[in-house]
Amino acid sequence: MGRSPCCEKAHTNKGAWTREEDERLVAHVRAHGEGCWRSLPSAAGLLRCGKSCRLRWINYLRPDLKRGNFSRDEDELIVKLHSLLGNKWSLIAARLPGRTDNEIKNYWNTHIRRKLLGRGIDPVTHRPLTDAATEERPPARACAKPVKMEQLQQGGICFRCSILRVRGAATECSCGSNFLGLRAGMLDF
DNA sequence: AACACGTCCAACCGCCTTACG
DNA sequence: CCGTAAGGCGGTTGGACGTGT
């Protein structure tokens, strides 16, 4: 038994969106704004699940999307942010106007990752591959005691569990270890 | 021309977090 | 405080497209 599906799958379309579906979704969001994705499909006359509508809007139809190739600056910023935040694509995307988390995630996996590996840099640790192979370091894993989201809004990275943005005034992550402060000048949370 | 293989990216899935009654 | 619904996120997939043979 899993959790109940987010929508009635028998009556929803899947796969690539058609031009007509896009137009319906854009028209509805323009008229009513974002939000209430659950009820949007029926209100907009779409045979899609709400999640699918949200994803389509955020990743493709939003008017403020930049699209096109990533600039060198964006490229470097993504690498810097990833070294600090890890695979927190939504947080990285928040620092790149006009880019989506999905777009950055894809770009990372298809371009940057390969480029770093080509330079002999581990794309996970951002250290030289030889160091990463020989050095004793804790395995990357989820923190046993997850930090609440409001704590993550504040700043800092736990070196043990790699949880980011632990409250700046505190000296310990919820997993029990000390954390590194943000590197000056890298980010201005 | 036809096929195999690799790359890219839109979309889906399932879990986690948050809001609310 | 607890349970539930909805939103949000990251990992993964599948198909379209490009390139090499």
Side-chain angles (χ1 to χ4, degrees):
Chain A
M1 293 289 283
R3 67 176 48 204
S4 59
C6 69
C7 52
E8 185 54 63
K9 294 192 178 191
H11 300 104
T12 55
N13 292 339
K14 287 178 71 172
W17 281 64
T18 64
R19 179 188 287 261
E20 192 196 337
E21 286 178 314
D22 281 347
E23 285 170 359
R24 280 178 185 270
L25 179 55
V26 169
H28 187 274
V29 174
R30 279 194 185 140
H32 302 95
E34 293 181 40
C36 208
W37 297 107
R38 181 90 170 181
S39 59
L40 184 148
S42 58
L46 288 164
L47 292 174
R48 290 276 178 175
C49 108
K51 274 187 168 187
S52 181
C53 294
R54 177 185 159 270
L55 212 62
R56 183 64 178 170
W57 173 256
I58 287 173
N59 289 334
Y60 200 81
L61 298 175
R62 243 170 52 197
D64 58 328
L65 290 180
K66 204 182 268 183
R67 312 194 68 78
N69 293 339
F70 282 77
S71 68
R72 196 189 183 122
D73 285 349
E74 287 178 312
D75 210 283
E76 287 171 6
L77 183 56
I78 291 169
V79 174
K80 276 184 186 174
L81 288 168
H82 187 273
S83 72
L84 284 167
L85 306 174
N87 295 357
K88 300 292 177 185
W89 307 115
S90 60
L91 292 175
I92 294 173
R95 291 271 144 190
L96 284 121
R99 301 295 187 185
T100 71
D101 54 354
N102 206 34
E103 194 178 11
I104 293 169
K105 178 171 59 182
N106 282 333
Y107 186 63
W108 175 270
N109 287 327
T110 56
H111 292 89
I112 301 180
R113 229 179 79 86
R114 200 174 305 155
K115 196 161 78 182
L116 291 177
L117 285 169
R119 289 181 191 162
I121 297 169
D122 186 329
V124 177
T125 63
H126 293 264
R127 295 177 180 190
L129 281 166
T130 47
D131 283 10
T134 55
E135 214 172 296
E136 183 74 26
R137 56 185 303 279
R141 58 177 179 79
C143 180
K145 296 179 182 175
V147 178
K148 287 281 184 188
M149 282 311 289
E150 59 263 30
Q151 289 177 279
L152 300 185
Q153 302 305 315
Q154 304 300 319
I157 293 177
C158 171
F159 68 84
R160 180 174 158 197
C161 64
S162 300
I163 291 282
L164 69 152
R165 289 179 156 197
V166 180
R167 186 175 292 277
T171 57
E172 276 193 358
C173 172
S174 297
C175 74
S177 34
N178 293 326
F179 63 86
L180 305 174
L182 287 168
R183 283 171 240 174
M186 294 289 279
L187 295 165
D188 56 341
F189 288 129

